[in-house]
Amino acid sequence: MRRSSTDESTYRRSPSPEGKEPGFARGGPFRRYSSLYGRAGAGDGGDSGDGGDGGPFFGLHASPGPKAAQARYTAPKGNKYVVFYLDLSFIFLLELKRCSMARGCLQGVKFLMFAFNLLFWLGGCGILGVGIWLAATQGNFATLSSSFPSLSAANLLIVTGTFVMAIGFVGCIGAIKEHKCLLLTFFVTLLLVLLLEVTVTVLFFAYTDKIDRYAQRDLKKGLHLYGTPGNVGLTNAWSIIQTDFRCCGVSNYTDWFEVYNATRVPDSCCLEFSESCGLHAPGTWWKAPCYETVKTWLQENLLAVGIFGLCTALVQLLGLTFAMTMYCQVVKADTYCA
């Protein structure tokens, strides 16, 4: 049964703007569903007026309007955006947690580095103070070498203390400011000092015989400066060594005969000290050679010397570890928290 022409006006499709189809019928699944329903309507209704037009929903061409079409299209996109934002938030939280952990590690290493370098700097101050005190009260104390007159105990302590203070100061400033250049400078300087110490130690044990011969020859040359003007340090050093170690001369008491051009030794060589006792018979003098006596004393206390050397190396290794660890932590913190 066919509809009348008057009924078609109620369901006739209203023209879309600019002669285009509605948005839901142009693309994707909505166009496919529209065509399917249009074919079904044509099959049931015969040659109905709108069934052959391929209209949706059995010839009912009700346009949903722009708001409904926009709602249908924005819903899935909105879900994708929500998931995307959730992923970004999760990644941001992970990076924030990693940044917080890096900062926490950096603060811990920073405190240890500062405490270590503060003690290092205070130790340098103490060594420098002792050196200045020796230089002020004892003059050039313990200057035994004639080839190196400036190689005195006071000068060595002053130079060592100043160097340790400088290294400690650089380490402290680098730790407080988290300055990568200062931390790297501290690490390289301390590493060079450690390598120099190891090299000197290896060379000393490798060339012990040559060093012994050179040292004895240089010390015998220094005996000729004993008691001369401007060599108070050398004179005091020989007097203290011969008195404390109960020895006389470098290799024998006869070393002094060449100095005085006579059978005479300093008064510090006497078994019982008295004025001009060095002019008496050799039976009243110490017979032990000072070089061998001091060398034997060092060998007997080699354990203490070794422990001191190991402690020094351990302190330097700790400094290297703290410096490189803090340097790496600063780089990580800059990378994660940039």
Side-chain angles (χ1 to χ4, degrees):
M1 183 175 181
R2 298 175 61 88
R3 285 191 302 229
S4 61
S5 60
T6 56
D7 296 333
E8 294 180 3
S9 60
T10 308
Y11 301 100
R12 189 170 298 278
R13 181 172 58 188
S14 58
S16 58
E18 299 179 0
K20 297 181 181 179
E21 294 183 0
F24 74 92
R26 284 199 300 268
F30 297 97
R31 184 176 182 86
R32 186 175 65 226
Y33 295 150
S34 174
S35 62
L36 288 175
Y37 283 120
R39 292 194 189 96
D44 293 340
D47 54 346
S48 57
D50 293 327
D53 297 336
F57 303 106
F58 301 94
L60 300 179
H61 300 277
S63 178
K67 292 186 179 180
Q70 185 179 3
R72 292 181 183 179
Y73 273 90
T74 55
K77 292 182 180 180
N79 291 335
K80 292 180 181 179
Y81 290 150
V82 169
V83 173
F84 179 69
Y85 288 142
L86 288 176
D87 291 341
L88 284 181
S89 301
F90 182 69
I91 294 173
F92 176 75
L93 290 176
L94 287 178
E95 292 296 329
L96 185 62
K97 183 178 180 181
R98 186 181 299 178
C99 179
S100 300
M101 293 176 62
R103 275 291 171 189
C105 294
L106 178 60
Q107 293 299 322
V109 177
K110 177 180 178 179
F111 174 77
L112 293 175
M113 179 76 176
F114 177 78
F116 172 82
N117 284 282
L118 181 61
L119 294 176
F120 207 67
W121 183 79
L122 291 176
C125 291
I127 296 173
L128 179 61
V130 173
I132 294 175
W133 176 77
L134 283 177
T137 58
Q138 302 296 329
N140 296 324
F141 176 77
T143 304
L144 296 176
S145 175
S146 60
S147 302
F148 304 98
S150 299
L151 193 64
S152 63
N155 292 339
L156 285 176
L157 291 176
I158 290 174
V159 172
T160 304
T162 304
F163 186 74
V164 171
M165 283 181 61
I167 295 179
F169 180 77
V170 172
C172 286
I173 298 300
I176 294 175
K177 299 295 183 180
E178 300 178 7
H179 199 285
K180 291 185 289 186
C181 183
L182 291 178
L183 291 173
L184 199 59
T185 301
F186 175 83
F187 177 83
V188 172
T189 305
L190 204 58
L191 180 62
L192 291 177
V193 172
L194 182 61
L195 292 177
L196 181 62
E197 292 173 352
V198 172
T199 303
V200 170
T201 303
V202 171
L203 292 176
F204 177 80
F205 284 104
Y207 298 96
T208 303
D209 296 335
K210 294 183 178 180
I211 292 174
D212 283 343
R213 290 194 295 269
Y214 176 80
Q216 292 185 42
R217 185 169 63 251
D218 188 67
L219 289 174
K220 289 180 179 180
K221 189 187 300 183
L223 293 179
H224 294 272
L225 302 177
Y226 183 87
T228 58
N231 293 287
V232 179
L234 186 143
T235 303
N236 292 336
W238 272 113
S239 298
I240 292 173
I241 289 176
Q242 292 182 140
T243 302
D244 292 344
F245 287 93
R246 299 180 178 183
C247 59
C248 189
V250 177
S251 57
N252 200 345
Y253 64 89
T254 57
D255 295 334
W256 292 106
F257 294 171
E258 298 178 4
V259 176
Y260 292 107
N261 293 322
T263 307
R264 181 185 176 183
V265 296
D267 295 341
S268 57
C269 287
C270 298
L271 298 175
E272 295 182 2
F273 180 80
S274 62
E275 190 69 27
S276 300
C277 63
L279 298 173
H280 299 167
T284 60
W285 305 332
W286 300 111
K287 302 298 190 296
C290 288
Y291 187 84
E292 293 297 329
T293 303
V294 174
K295 185 177 177 180
T296 302
W297 178 82
L298 289 175
Q299 291 175 351
E300 291 175 353
N301 294 273
L302 189 61
L303 180 61
V305 176
I307 292 175
F308 177 77
L310 289 177
C311 290
T312 303
L314 180 61
V315 169
Q316 293 173 345
L317 289 175
L318 285 176
L320 292 173
T321 303
F322 285 143
M324 183 51 63
T325 303
M326 186 170 181
Y327 178 81
C328 294
Q329 291 296 328
V330 170
V331 172
K332 287 183 180 179
D334 291 343
T335 302
Y336 291 150
C337 305

